[in-house]
Amino acid sequence: MEHIRTTKVELVKLIDRFSTSNKSLTGTLYLTATHLLFIDANQKETWILHHHIAAVEKLALTTSGCPLVIQCKNFRVVHFSVPRERDCHDIYNSLLQLSRSASYEELYAFSYNPNQNESKRLQGWQLIDLAEEYRRMGVQNSNWQLSDANRDYKVCETYPRELYVPRAVSKPIIVGSSKFRSKGRFPVLSYYHRDKEAAICRCSQPLSGFSARCLEDEHMLQAISKANPAHHYMYVMDTRPKLNAMANRAAGKGYENEDNYANIRFQFVGIENIHVMRSSLQKLLEVSGTKALSVNNFLSGLENSGWLRHIKALLDAAVFLAKAIAIENATVLVHCSDGWDRTSQVCSLGALLLDSYYRTIKGFMVLIEKDWISFGHKFSDRCGQLDGDPKEISPVFTQFLEGVWHLTEQFPQAFEYNEALLLQIHEHVHSCQFGNFLGNCQKEREELKLKEKTYSLWPFLLDEQEKYLNPLYNPNFSQKLAFLEPNTVSFNFKFWRNMYHQFDRTMHPRQSVFNLIMTMNEQNKKLEEDFKELEAKLKERTRQSETLLTKEPLQSVHPASPALKSSPGFKKEQPLLPMNDSNRTIEGSNTADNRYSEYMEELSKAEPAIVSLEYGVARMTC
Amino acid sequence: MEFAELIKIAKVENVQLSCPGLLPVKGTLCITSHHLLLSSQPGGNGEQGMVELWLLLRNIDAVEKRVASSSGSITLKCKDLKVLQLEIPGMEECLNISRSIEALSSVESVMMMYPFFYRPQSMKLKDGWQLYPLQHYYQQIATETTAWRLSCVNGEFTVCPSYPAAVIVPTAVDDNTLKKAARFHQGGRFPILSYYHKKNGTVLLRSSQPLIGPNRKRCPEDEQLLSAALNRGERGFIIDTRSAQAAKQARMMGGGTESKSSYPCWRRLHGPLERGRPLQESFIKLVEACNDTSLSMDRWLSKLESSKWLAHLKGALSTACLAAQCMEREEACVLVHGAEGTDTTLLVTALAQVILDPECRTLTGFQGLLEREWIKAGHPFHFRCARSAYSHARLKQEAPIFLLFLDCVWQLGRQFPFSLEFNEHLLLVLFEHTYASSYGTFLCNSEKERCLCEVKEKTHSLWSWLNQPSQQKKHLNPLYTYNALVIWPSVEPQSLQLWQGLFLRWIRSSQYLDEAWAEIQRLVTSCEDAPEESAGDRQCHSQPDAAHPHRQTQLGNAG
């Protein structure tokens, strides 16, 4: 609280960031320990979590006040105008402090209290059990086993304690291989395909330089290859562009030399590094945030940002991986540099294409828990949870979610979850409200005692899973397919408006098919339940008065019978039947935010306004 | 001319047909006066041959042939954007087929076209031609106001050759004044009523540009006509679909735009829209980009951008919204014109009506709108849709302005998925039929030409086919509910989408999307039936009936 100097400022304007006429809402701004809150004249509340703030900017003073622009990690951008510069300055300074925590203990997760009892909280943490997940995949088995080499995080600090490796691999091999890999991240099992007996393995780059070799590492790869009984070769996918991998050789790192490893097929897939991705997103947001954006500037900006090119590279890599396993029955070892960014992306997307379990809500949580959280994707650094090196921040996980979204667009019936789940997970990866994504690796999480001090996100999502269900989901969809093979021709990739403009409601479709179907489904379900209830009651009654049933069996089924009308089951039905109109009326249709014409506005500047068009776009004088 | 002279070879055996997404088939290729047919070879055990291809020759936009010594292949690029490949044994046969197709598909004379020969047994000539007479539309207006009358000044098509025989004009203006005003407008297209907004009594007018010329000519009758459209003290907007500069420059060629001094009650706005050749080129570029599946992401985005198609969409939607906004929010009358008043003008007026008026969003209302605002209004379909995106012929007057309109309507449907009674399929059918059709509805450039060619007597109407219950069912949107509100779309670039269902229709498989759509349809229909099946309560189903009369009846038809 020591950072908060001003807790309340009145007559603050919230400016529509796309309006060319600076249309605004006036209200009061409150600063709390965890949130910034704006309540406008219509009592509409805008809450901004301090942890969500990516950047605060104070612009040059204008006649109407001091502008303050806040950019959030969930892509909300708010533009305030504060009447007094002093207040603006205070808020600016407070937010700078509050949005940059110096230590984990200051994060919201440690103070967040959803009023849940302790046993439920603990149960929540047990919801996702990775040991159970490996059992589901079919390991351990005759070829793969659980290794205790990293039980005390001695071999690799950023890996989890439980790791699965080929049975043929002994501890010295593991230790030797880990010494030959960046950050000690030696090859381990990420996903096992039961039917094909092929595996996805992951690691970091080898420290091969120009000529170095490591017999243990070579042995390790051979063991992985042999753990697939049907096959004589395995793929090694280096997810980096070839040039980057070659440059790493000069630093004593690099990639596998095909001559030194028996029976490997080496493949580069060309996904760019975190710095390229960070600046790509930066460019994308600059373009999409432009006022009065023309179609051509949007498309050329989209092209220049390279964003969709990167997303396509990701999916192309995942398709390559899935094909190797599903069609060639070959095991694939995936790595990048440190094996926690691109490797996580490609392994998880590949598994998503191969295994329909990951396309269920629970399975998706397991996938994130496995390939991202447990294998040490550096959430803290990549999301900038603490005040640290801005060069470590990168939208790697956001890209993964976008890859998943593109798949849901191409296969509308293959996923149990919908876009809302992806958006909600994205929200909480950055919110620091739950313990799951805090820290950079499991070891760090244990040290922070997250399971004792914070809540897990997953049970909360499951509790409200109705919201995240895809009404079109068909559990049998993938049965006829070996794997989900998306079409990755460029024209299939689209700007993800609902992510990058999720708070810019005026840009969204005004009616939602998904919501409608969900409401209908809900109503159907309710009706069916009520029907069953009625049926049960009816049986009860007929038992009581058998004569009635035998005489008029059909009539008695009709709830029109006066006896049933009074039953509580019937009463419940009534409000359910009319369609939910709120989904069908049009949001935004009467808000004055559609900017149809700029030139009208320009005209208006030259002449005194007599009549002003409500949309704030046009004025006229005659 | 006899068709037989153009058919160099009527039949070739062992021709292989292939098109993307389907297995190649072999069969006998036949050319008739209007069709290209391919029937697969009958199987050995008395199995009948199947007709694999039944293509209207008029649909063929470009024929590309490659011949080797003993065989040849022909690529047929169709106006509906489909691409077919024929492998023909024998060089001579290949050349003859391609010559025949080229000759038959480019027959110019309207009366030689297929609609004049098409005689389906289930339909009667003359049906459907009188479905949407202007008189009906006028009667609706007449119940609201007496300020407008139906004039037959153009009964002989002498005042304006591209207008229909009857037009709606201010009651206060007599036919003589109209005739004089017509002389002051390009092509005689004097200002007439396009749409009456019942909610507030404002009107949408359209015309062609006034012939002001370099000497700033005036025409008192035209000024009288326009002021008669306004009530005393009212002000109106003129939306010129050209830029201010282009409108000014048009004076040098004898055209121009209304000046403030001569038309003091009208305020001029500009919503510059592209038409003619730039629009056709935009269409060609877009189709080219969509057909190249090898493009890298950067090349694709850059080609999508340089096609400018989405920019044209944004422009058209914005200008239509501007017109709608003037009427709905400002409660002012609006006159729309560009130069000829037969292209962008109609795009804006028709689109504004879809946005403003729930009636235009029903299946029949939309057909009525097309009939009134495109066909009778004299959009030169024959010129504009002579060639599509693949043609190598020198461009003449082709422009996909109507396609742009359909795309805009599709965008509205994406943003308001419950507000249009018809679905994407109807828009696709309309697109196909403007370029090649068995029906006469989109033939010719104007009502005058249709009269001369006796189109209404000698061809079938597309509407009577579309309104057959079996067809109607395919074109209804199961999610539709009557929505009385104005549907204001978002026109931000982030909100506009490439119409994949049209531009990628033949390029990528839409199997999973189609299945998902079928599932939506199934869910909605089963939900409608749910009360009957599960609760079986009379009192309960009377409720949704009352709350959603439209929805119920509409789905009743569909089911």
Side-chain angles (χ1 to χ4, degrees):
Chain A
M1 292 304 274
E2 77 253 43
H3 302 306
I4 301 178
R5 227 169 290 151
T6 310
T7 55
K8 181 179 171 187
V9 187
E10 285 178 5
L11 295 172
V12 171
K13 284 185 192 149
L14 174 63
I15 298 167
D16 176 348
R17 73 159 162 149
F18 291 108
S19 165
T20 39
S21 55
N22 286 342
K23 208 165 59 66
S24 66
L25 287 165
T26 306
T28 309
L29 196 63
Y30 298 88
L31 199 57
T32 76
T34 53
H35 289 84
L36 181 69
L37 168 64
F38 178 77
I39 303 181
D40 67 24
N42 308 321
Q43 298 304 310
K44 194 179 153 277
E45 298 173 2
T46 306
W47 290 83
I48 296 169
L49 189 63
H50 297 324
H51 296 318
H52 268 150
I53 296 175
V56 199
E57 210 183 338
K58 221 168 60 148
L59 303 181
L61 199 66
T62 68
T63 47
S64 60
C66 188
L68 188 68
V69 179
I70 300 172
Q71 290 182 349
C72 299
K73 293 170 182 172
N74 55 6
F75 308 115
R76 187 201 282 276
V77 178
V78 281
H79 194 147
F80 290 118
S81 176
V82 184
R84 291 198 317 162
E85 197 188 359
R86 223 196 111 74
D87 291 333
C88 184
H89 190 74
D90 282 352
I91 290 182
Y92 170 78
N93 279 332
S94 302
L95 289 178
L96 272 190
Q97 298 299 325
L98 291 165
S99 63
R100 290 178 192 170
S101 306
S103 74
Y104 285 116
E105 282 74 16
E106 290 171 28
L107 295 177
Y108 188 31
F110 290 94
S111 57
Y112 174 62
N113 183 2
N115 277 331
Q116 206 178 61
N117 66 41
E118 187 57 16
S119 71
K120 210 162 171 224
R121 197 186 63 77
L122 280 173
Q123 267 175 25
W125 277 110
Q126 283 151 11
L127 187 71
I128 306 293
D129 178 3
L130 288 185
E132 172 56 36
E133 166 61 5
Y134 284 97
R135 271 198 294 283
R136 186 194 68 86
M137 291 180 205
V139 288
Q140 310 179 60
N141 58 25
S142 55
N143 292 311
W144 294 89
Q145 66 174 349
L146 178 65
S147 156
D148 62 359
N150 202 40
R151 203 170 43 196
D152 302 313
Y153 297 116
K154 287 220 173 98
V155 182
C156 175
E157 286 204 322
T158 58
Y159 268 171
R161 290 176 192 272
E162 281 84 35
L163 292 167
Y164 293 82
V165 293
R167 254 185 213 283
V169 164
S170 64
K171 192 163 178 191
I173 299 282
I174 291 177
V175 173
S177 168
S178 82
K179 289 196 173 127
F180 190 62
R181 295 274 168 181
S182 260
K183 308 284 195 302
R185 294 171 68 93
F186 60 96
V188 296
L189 181 78
S190 159
Y191 176 74
Y192 179 74
H193 197 293
R194 206 194 271 258
D195 297 339
K196 307 278 178 190
E197 298 184 278
I200 302 176
C201 294
R202 55 184 293 169
C203 61
S204 60
Q205 64 185 337
L207 304 176
S208 50
F210 290 101
S211 60
R213 292 182 62 166
C214 169
L215 290 176
E216 289 93 337
D217 194 59
E218 288 163 24
H219 190 103
M220 174 68 114
L221 261 64
Q222 191 153 27
I224 290 174
S225 180
K226 283 192 173 150
N228 179 346
H231 241 274
H232 315 296
Y233 62 86
M234 70 182 273
Y235 282 102
V236 175
M237 267 175 91
D238 190 325
T239 55
R240 298 168 294 182
K242 189 172 182 185
L243 211 64
N244 299 21
M246 287 181 37
N248 263 302
R249 277 163 69 172
K253 301 167 188 171
Y255 53 93
E256 290 81 357
N257 182 341
E258 271 179 286
D259 299 336
N260 298 340
Y261 292 85
N263 306 317
I264 67 163
R265 295 189 180 179
F266 190 84
Q267 178 76 34
F268 285 112
V269 290
I271 301 172
E272 299 287 352
N273 66 26
I274 57 165
H275 310 293
V276 174
M277 300 309 188
R278 179 178 57 249
S279 82
S280 171
L281 179 63
Q282 186 70 37
K283 285 181 198 154
L284 182 79
L285 295 178
E286 262 165 41
V287 171
S288 66
T290 311
K291 276 184 191 184
L293 181 63
S294 75
V295 173
N296 285 355
N297 287 341
F298 173 64
L299 290 173
S300 64
L302 197 57
E303 180 198 336
N304 289 335
S305 78
W307 185 254
L308 291 179
R309 171 159 49 88
H310 302 315
I311 302 292
K312 175 171 153 57
L314 222 60
L315 279 182
D316 277 329
V319 170
F320 179 90
L321 171 61
K323 264 188 180 163
I325 289 184
I327 295 171
E328 294 183 57
N329 291 16
T331 287
V332 186
L333 174 66
V334 183
H335 72 71
C336 46
S337 297
D338 290 323
W340 50 44
D341 294 312
R342 289 168 272 200
T343 302
S344 294
Q345 290 177 328
V346 174
C347 288
S348 55
L349 281 172
L352 194 72
L353 295 180
L354 286 164
D355 193 334
S356 61
Y357 175 62
Y358 300 129
R359 304 193 285 259
T360 63
I361 292 186
K362 180 84 184 291
F364 191 57
M365 294 171 178
V366 168
L367 184 68
I368 292 172
E369 193 74 39
K370 175 169 71 74
D371 272 317
W372 292 87
I373 297 175
S374 89
F375 276 118
H377 170 67
K378 302 202 289 174
F379 277 106
S380 177
D381 289 358
R382 297 293 175 259
C383 303
Q385 290 171 353
L386 300 183
D387 191 13
D389 183 0
K391 286 207 170 69
E392 281 286 309
I393 296 176
S394 187
V396 176
F397 187 73
T398 308
Q399 289 184 315
F400 161 69
L401 292 177
E402 183 162 341
V404 177
W405 174 74
H406 272 103
L407 295 174
T408 63
E409 286 285 293
Q410 284 200 32
F411 303 97
Q413 294 192 268
F415 290 80
E416 187 190 17
Y417 43 90
N418 59 23
E419 188 181 39
L421 181 72
L422 305 179
L423 295 177
Q424 188 70 336
I425 290 174
H426 184 263
E427 175 89 2
H428 286 299
V429 162
H430 293 95
S431 72
C432 303
Q433 184 174 346
F434 297 93
N436 309 61
F437 304 104
L438 299 194
N440 285 320
C441 60
Q442 294 295 57
K443 183 167 178 263
E444 204 172 10
R445 286 183 197 109
E446 283 173 22
E447 285 161 7
L448 289 170
K449 299 197 173 18
L450 292 175
K451 292 195 180 179
E452 288 144 60
K453 295 182 177 166
T454 70
Y455 289 84
S456 164
L457 169 65
W458 308 129
F460 288 85
L461 293 182
L462 277 184
D463 275 351
E464 46 178 29
Q465 65 170 308
E466 293 287 315
K467 281 202 243 169
Y468 307 122
L469 286 174
N470 169 12
L472 301 179
Y473 175 55
N474 173 6
N476 302 320
F477 177 82
S478 332
Q479 275 177 355
K480 49 193 185 232
L481 303 169
F483 71 106
L484 219 53
E485 189 178 0
N487 180 337
T488 59
V489 174
S490 300
F491 54 54
N492 290 293
F493 292 86
K494 297 176 285 188
F495 174 72
W496 191 6
R497 184 187 54 215
N498 290 359
M499 171 64 95
Y500 304 104
H501 288 296
Q502 53 183 306
F503 297 96
D504 305 310
R505 296 192 62 91
T506 55
M507 282 187 190
H508 295 194
R510 309 304 158 91
Q511 296 173 323
S512 155
V513 176
F514 255 43
N515 287 349
L516 173 76
I517 308 264
M518 300 261 277
T519 324
M520 284 184 163
N521 270 357
E522 242 164 72
Q523 286 170 347
N524 258 4
K525 219 182 279 168
K526 275 277 193 184
L527 280 172
E528 268 162 36
E529 278 166 26
D530 288 338
F531 176 60
K532 278 184 194 139
E533 200 180 323
L534 277 171
E535 218 171 28
K537 284 217 164 82
L538 196 69
K539 272 185 194 147
E540 185 65 25
R541 261 164 206 280
T542 46
R543 221 173 293 139
Q544 285 165 7
S545 54
E546 275 183 45
T547 43
L548 181 71
L549 183 70
T550 45
K551 273 182 196 162
E552 299 172 282
L554 280 173
Q555 232 176 8
S556 60
V557 182
H558 276 277
S561 106
L564 275 173
K565 250 186 188 169
S566 57
S567 81
F570 175 56
K571 270 182 201 151
K572 247 201 265 170
E573 262 171 58
Q574 298 230 338
L576 300 171
L577 277 152
M579 301 311 280
N580 187 348
D581 260 339
S582 62
N583 286 316
R584 302 195 151 222
T585 50
I586 299 156
E587 295 157 5
S589 67
N590 41 14
T591 55
D593 300 294
N594 300 294
R595 294 157 287 273
Y596 294 134
S597 150
E598 275 87 46
Y599 56 88
M600 277 184 89
E601 196 171 20
E602 277 160 27
L603 278 175
S604 72
K605 281 175 195 148
E607 299 167 45
I610 295 175
V611 185
S612 76
L613 286 187
E614 204 180 307
Y615 267 47
V617 272
R619 281 157 204 230
M620 74 167 182
T621 53
C622 290
Chain B
M1 184 196 68
E2 288 291 325
F3 288 116
E5 292 167 20
L6 300 177
I7 304 176
K8 308 281 179 220
I9 186 166
K11 194 168 157 185
V12 186
E13 305 277 353
N14 280 318
V15 173
Q16 178 173 296
L17 166 75
S18 50
C19 60
L22 288 176
L23 288 173
V25 282
K26 257 197 175 169
T28 308
L29 186 74
C30 300
I31 299 181
T32 72
S33 315
H34 297 284
H35 288 96
L36 189 68
L37 297 139
L38 186 117
S39 49
S40 65
Q41 273 131 4
N45 42 6
E47 189 188 318
Q48 285 282 304
M50 294 272 288
V51 176
E52 303 283 351
L53 176 71
W54 185 286
L55 185 72
L56 202 56
L57 287 165
R58 181 80 192 156
N59 191 0
I60 295 170
D61 204 28
V63 184
E64 290 162 17
K65 55 179 181 290
R66 255 171 312 155
V67 282
S69 54
S70 65
S71 70
S73 78
I74 297 180
T75 306
L76 297 177
K77 297 188 168 176
C78 301
K79 291 176 183 169
D80 62 10
L81 308 181
K82 169 169 62 204
V83 178
L84 304 168
Q85 190 93 20
L86 297 171
E87 303 290 339
I88 297 158
M91 186 177 82
E92 194 62 25
E93 284 84 351
C94 181
L95 290 174
N96 279 333
I97 286 182
S98 87
R99 266 184 227 131
S100 311
I101 293 175
E102 271 167 2
L104 287 164
S105 63
S106 51
V107 166
E108 290 276 342
S109 158
V110 173
M111 296 183 69
M112 296 301 277
M113 284 178 189
Y114 186 56
F116 286 91
F117 300 87
Y118 179 55
R119 293 291 176 267
Q121 288 180 341
S122 60
M123 291 167 74
K124 273 189 250 154
L125 281 172
K126 295 194 178 166
D127 273 3
W129 286 111
Q130 289 310 319
L131 271 179
Y132 310 104
L134 194 68
Q135 282 76 7
H136 277 187
Y137 187 67
Y138 174 68
Q139 275 154 19
Q140 291 173 24
I141 297 170
T143 60
E144 308 270 336
T145 171
T146 54
W148 298 87
R149 69 183 179 94
L150 200 63
S151 163
C152 293
V153 65
N154 198 37
E156 305 291 318
F157 304 114
T158 46
V159 178
C160 170
S162 63
Y163 270 171
V167 289
I168 302 172
V169 294
T171 310
V173 179
D174 61 28
D175 283 356
N176 268 333
T177 313
L178 294 178
K179 280 180 191 164
K180 284 178 184 152
R183 266 177 245 139
F184 188 61
H185 281 273
Q186 182 169 1
R189 294 175 71 93
F190 56 93
I192 58 170
L193 181 137
S194 151
Y195 167 66
Y196 181 82
H197 195 40
K198 281 188 199 134
K199 208 188 257 176
N200 57 20
T202 56
V203 295
L204 183 62
L205 308 169
R206 55 177 161 75
S207 69
S208 63
Q209 64 176 340
L211 299 174
I212 290 172
N215 302 324
R216 297 175 187 268
K217 263 191 296 189
R218 291 182 63 166
C219 170
E221 290 80 7
D222 188 51
E223 290 162 22
Q224 189 195 334
L225 173 56
L226 277 188
S227 46
L230 302 175
N231 290 327
R232 187 183 301 274
E234 265 182 4
R235 320 228 157 222
F237 287 98
I238 295 172
I239 297 179
D240 194 320
T241 61
R242 302 164 295 180
S243 69
Q245 202 194 1
K248 214 171 180 182
Q249 276 169 354
R251 286 222 311 266
M252 303 315 293
M253 307 295 293
T257 194
E258 291 81 355
S259 68
K260 211 163 165 180
S261 53
S262 318
Y263 301 85
C265 296
W266 292 85
R267 166 74 202 225
R268 213 171 66 225
L269 300 166
H270 295 272
L273 298 180
E274 210 63 78
R275 62 200 180 100
R277 176 164 294 202
L279 200 60
Q280 180 73 9
E281 277 164 3
S282 166
F283 179 38
I284 292 170
K285 278 188 187 166
L286 178 63
V287 169
E288 202 179 270
C290 288
N291 273 297
D292 188 350
T293 53
S294 68
L295 290 178
S296 71
M297 187 60 72
D298 290 4
R299 289 293 295 150
W300 157 249
L301 288 172
S302 121
K303 286 197 157 202
L304 185 61
E305 182 209 335
S306 68
S307 82
K308 299 205 180 87
W309 184 260
L310 294 174
H312 296 320
L313 270 183
K314 180 177 156 89
L317 279 168
S318 308
T319 309
C321 286
L322 185 62
Q325 195 182 354
C326 291
M327 296 178 73
E328 169 78 12
R329 307 258 185 216
E330 287 307 295
E331 307 197 322
C333 294
V334 174
L335 166 68
V336 181
H337 71 68
E340 287 97 340
T342 54
D343 293 290
T344 49
T345 304
L346 304 181
L347 176 64
V348 172
T349 57
L351 209 47
Q353 294 178 49
V354 178
I355 291 164
L356 286 170
D357 189 355
E359 292 310 316
C360 294
R361 297 177 221 140
T362 65
L363 187 60
T364 48
F366 189 63
Q367 291 175 8
L369 176 77
L370 298 184
E371 189 69 36
R372 246 183 328 112
E373 286 299 288
W374 288 95
I375 299 167
K376 292 210 175 78
H379 176 65
F381 280 103
H382 182 71
F383 288 152
R384 298 293 179 256
C385 302
R387 296 277 166 194
S388 176
Y390 294 124
S391 173
H392 304 299
R394 206 168 56 83
L395 288 181
K396 282 178 259 170
Q397 296 205 41
E398 292 80 2
I401 198 104
F402 185 71
L403 171 60
L404 189 63
F405 167 73
L406 293 177
D407 199 343
C408 288
V409 174
W410 181 82
Q411 305 282 344
L412 289 173
R414 293 294 294 203
Q415 295 194 25
F416 298 89
F418 318 143
S419 298
L420 304 182
E421 195 192 14
F422 48 89
N423 60 19
E424 175 178 23
H425 195 238
L426 178 79
L427 301 175
L428 293 173
V429 167
L430 289 169
F431 162 67
E432 287 167 9
H433 282 269
T434 49
Y435 281 92
S437 177
S438 307
Y439 302 94
T441 299
F442 293 111
L443 290 182
C444 302
N445 291 313
S446 64
E447 286 294 280
K448 184 184 177 186
E449 286 183 23
R450 273 173 216 116
C451 278
L452 287 173
C453 298
E454 298 176 285
V455 168
K456 293 178 188 178
E457 288 77 33
K458 293 183 173 168
T459 74
H460 287 282
S461 156
L462 178 65
W463 308 135
S464 62
W465 176 65
L466 283 179
N467 289 332
Q468 289 175 355
S470 60
Q471 285 300 318
Q472 224 171 30
K473 203 169 143 183
K474 288 185 206 161
H475 300 136
L476 286 170
N477 170 11
L479 302 173
Y480 174 69
T481 31
Y482 181 82
N483 173 5
L485 301 170
V486 177
I487 52 170
W488 300 112
S490 161
V491 296
E492 301 297 332
Q494 292 96 322
S495 305
L496 301 176
Q497 295 178 21
L498 175 70
W499 185 4
Q500 299 210 352
L502 187 130
F503 292 105
L504 304 179
R505 186 176 180 188
W506 312 103
I507 299 162
R508 58 111 174 89
S509 156
S510 59
Q511 185 198 341
Y512 301 126
L513 303 180
D514 297 343
E515 283 172 9
W517 183 243
E519 175 65 10
I520 290 178
Q521 209 140 1
R522 195 191 64 74
L523 282 174
V524 173
T525 331
S526 74
C527 203
E528 288 298 320
D529 298 340
E532 277 170 71
E533 283 166 10
S534 56
D537 173 54
R538 280 186 201 130
Q539 204 180 334
C540 280
H541 20 111
S542 67
Q543 271 183 322
D545 273 340
H548 296 275
H550 258 268
R551 196 178 153 69
Q552 289 291 318
T553 49
Q554 179 253 312
L555 275 152
N557 292 342

